[in-house]
Amino acid sequence: MINVLFSAQPKSWTEYEAPLRAAFAQAGIDAQLGTEFDPADVDYIVYAPSGPVSDFTPFTKLKAVLSLWAGVETMVDNPTLKVPLCRMVDHGLTESMVEWVTGHVLRYHLGMDKFLSGQDGVWRAGTAAPLARDRKVCVLGLGALGAACAQALVQLNFRVHGWARSPKQVEGVTCHHGADGLDAALSDADMVALLLPDTRATENVLNARNIALMRRGSFVVNPGRGPLIDDDALIAALDSGQLAHVTLDVFRVEPLPKEHPFWAHPKVTVTPHIAAETKATTASEVIAENIRRGEGEEPFLHVVDRAAGY
């Protein structure tokens, strides 16, 4: 019998118990699933950092930790974690992220805000938006989420450039990597979407210097991680007109404090970390597949590179 410990908040157990049991049955996995086991008997932990487990030392027969979260920055440095850590790559979450990113890119591309706020009976002459092929969109981060968003934007006919720390190939996307590649990716970008992990190497990747590389009057959407942006540099760029508007879904402190200047800034749209979330049904399928692989002595999916931090 395989023992699977669910270590997360009680509300997550309510959400995940039935989908996990169904996914195990579908995968032919004979497992005991629960929130309490003798640690020495646990084979796998379905894990969220907000749950009760932080010391993995007592779990002497543990084979893998299967995270419910896409981000693993709070887990990678845990010195007691000696087994593979698998991050969540959920196709349901990916679909949600693609919809959110493309929605906000199209919002800025089409200039929708000025029409939504101008329903006052005044006919304002203007010009139609340029074609998508005349807009350069830069996606920072070409992992599972970033690559999917970049490809969706390609399908909408945007000129898409992407950047990652290491070389990547994404069909239809002009890919860059390394420090020089970051400059090329951002140069003259009309819009930037941030989908990088939160690591020491990516903190403040969108700083004053890098914002200045973008086209004047450009836009930023950040559904990735709050620390990717230098907040002070972002506000300064909005005030100067270097950036026209930004949509931020993630922040250094969440919930975003009421006194934070983002709330009152006329060129900032705040959304409350709702760009995408893991879906219990599809995430359970990913977890079941990894347990099947572990029991079949096959490589796990989505194993975290602890040194790189993602």
Side-chain angles (χ1 to χ4, degrees):
M1 179 66 71
I2 306 164
N3 293 323
V4 180
L5 174 66
F6 188 90
S7 176
Q9 291 292 314
K11 64 178 182 179
S12 295
W13 172 242
T14 301
E15 180 183 5
Y16 274 91
E17 181 184 7
L20 280 170
R21 293 190 189 282
F24 290 173
Q26 182 66 29
I29 296 169
D30 185 13
Q32 290 193 88
L33 172 68
T35 58
E36 293 185 7
F37 287 98
D38 183 328
D41 294 333
V42 172
D43 296 286
Y44 299 92
I45 299 178
V46 177
Y47 182 77
S50 56
V53 174
S54 59
D55 181 3
F56 296 93
T57 305
F59 297 91
T60 53
K61 63 177 289 194
L62 189 64
K63 299 172 183 176
V65 172
L66 310 176
S67 177
L68 291 172
W69 291 13
V72 292
E73 60 272 9
T74 61
M75 313 174 210
V76 291
D77 293 328
N78 188 322
T80 69
L81 182 53
K82 308 294 186 183
V83 299
L85 169 64
C86 301
R87 64 189 181 90
M88 176 52 64
V89 178
D90 165 29
H91 55 272
L93 181 148
T94 301
E95 290 175 26
S96 295
M97 185 64 79
V98 167
E99 292 168 8
W100 191 93
V101 169
T102 55
H104 283 280
V105 167
L106 285 171
R107 164 195 170 191
Y108 289 135
H109 168 59
L110 297 173
M112 295 173 69
D113 288 14
K114 64 183 177 183
F115 300 110
L116 293 173
S117 62
Q119 302 296 301
D120 54 4
V122 178
W123 185 275
R124 294 175 176 84
T127 57
L131 294 172
R133 67 187 182 194
D134 295 324
R135 298 270 204 196
K136 176 180 176 180
V137 181
C138 173
V139 177
L140 298 184
L142 293 173
L145 294 176
C149 291
Q151 288 185 307
L153 292 167
V154 167
Q155 292 300 310
L156 292 170
N157 217 28
F158 289 101
R159 292 187 293 112
V160 183
H161 289 242
W163 180 83
R165 291 174 58 195
S166 56
K168 301 281 187 180
Q169 289 187 332
V170 180
E171 186 176 357
V173 178
T174 302
C175 296
H176 308 268
H177 69 278
D180 293 340
L182 180 59
D183 287 2
L186 288 171
S187 179
D188 291 327
D190 295 288
M191 282 172 263
V192 170
L194 292 117
L195 287 152
L196 288 160
D198 178 12
T199 69
R200 285 184 289 273
T202 61
E203 185 174 5
N204 291 330
V205 67
L206 205 64
N207 51 33
R209 174 193 177 277
N210 291 341
I211 291 171
L213 295 171
M214 299 167 59
R215 190 181 300 277
R216 183 168 178 81
S218 51
F219 302 88
V220 171
V221 297
N222 183 19
R225 291 289 182 266
L228 300 176
I229 293 179
D230 180 331
D231 290 356
D232 292 339
L234 187 74
I235 290 174
L238 289 166
D239 290 342
S240 73
Q242 173 62 16
L243 294 177
H245 205 106
V246 300
T247 298
L248 308 176
D249 188 59
V250 288
F251 307 91
R252 292 173 183 270
V253 176
E254 294 184 7
L256 185 66
K258 289 183 178 180
E259 65 276 10
H260 197 286
F262 284 157
W263 284 114
H265 202 291
K267 296 181 179 180
V268 177
T269 297
V270 171
T271 61
H273 205 144
I274 47 79
E277 64 180 7
T278 302
K279 311 298 183 185
T281 51
T282 49
S284 295
E285 294 167 2
V286 175
I287 291 166
E289 172 61 14
N290 256 340
I291 292 175
R292 187 200 67 76
R293 284 171 170 263
E295 294 306 294
E297 298 184 354
E298 300 176 34
F300 290 114
L301 298 172
H302 318 308
V303 177
V304 172
D305 180 340
R306 306 285 292 280
Y310 56 91

